[in-house]
Amino acid sequence: MYKVTTDVIHSDALFGHVLEDKHGAVVTFAGTVRDQTDSRRTLRLEYEAYAPMAEAKMREIGEEIREKWGIENIAMLHRVGTLEIGEISILISLAAPHRKNAFDACSYAIDRVKQVVPVWKKEIWEDGEEEWVGE
């Protein structure tokens, strides 16, 4: 599953989607909205994406992980719209027989998402200023 959504993402949303009896490890990464960027207090974030392309790029990352680590069970959700402090903007989950590959692949996945998935983020700061920044 590779999906861009406007729905609230819960931390356990993908666990059952990736887990099978043969797996000894499920690793999940949740990217959340923090209340500060550098020395500026953040009020909220707004995300936009071209969903068909973003989902296709997430699927490509899944294929890269399959080729590199042999991991088949991968899922990613990326939220768009207005997100408040503490809310999940991205959830990546994958399952594998062993933990090392699962951790390595999950770390790779979030790095690649930030490199190639067309999602844009606007930071809204406490002082009233706003800025579109790279994911």
Side-chain angles (χ1 to χ4, degrees):
M1 170 194 298
Y2 304 94
K3 185 177 177 187
V4 173
T5 183
T6 57
D7 297 334
V8 171
I9 299 173
H10 299 282
S11 60
D12 61 349
L14 299 175
F15 188 85
H17 186 75
V18 299
L19 181 63
E20 292 183 23
D21 290 344
K22 64 183 177 182
H23 297 131
V26 175
V27 173
T28 299
F29 172 81
T32 60
V33 178
R34 62 179 176 266
D35 68 354
Q36 191 164 335
T37 300
D38 299 322
S39 62
R40 298 181 88 173
R41 180 130 169 92
T42 303
L43 291 181
R44 65 187 173 280
L45 298 179
E46 294 178 8
Y47 286 91
E48 291 185 7
Y50 177 57
M53 182 178 281
E55 291 168 354
K57 288 295 187 181
M58 288 189 288
R59 194 171 292 104
E60 286 177 19
I61 294 166
E63 288 301 318
E64 292 170 14
I65 290 169
R66 281 182 189 88
E67 290 175 16
K68 186 167 181 151
W69 287 279
I71 295 172
E72 298 290 327
N73 297 63
I74 306 156
M76 299 182 198
L77 293 172
H78 204 304
R79 188 165 165 208
V80 293
T82 301
L83 281 74
E84 302 299 328
I85 304 304
E87 290 188 304
I88 296 173
S89 59
I90 185 166
L91 189 69
I92 299 170
S93 190
L94 52 87
H98 303 286
R99 70 180 179 275
K100 180 164 180 13
N101 282 353
F103 276 110
D104 291 348
C106 195
S107 180
Y108 176 86
I110 188 58
D111 288 345
R112 290 292 288 150
V113 165
K114 290 189 165 278
Q115 291 170 349
V116 301
V117 177
V119 174
W120 302 276
K121 173 176 71 174
K122 180 168 59 172
E123 295 205 35
I124 295 100
W125 291 295
E126 186 176 51
D127 61 12
E129 289 190 39
E130 302 176 352
E131 180 181 2
W132 287 99
V133 294
E135 255 266 276

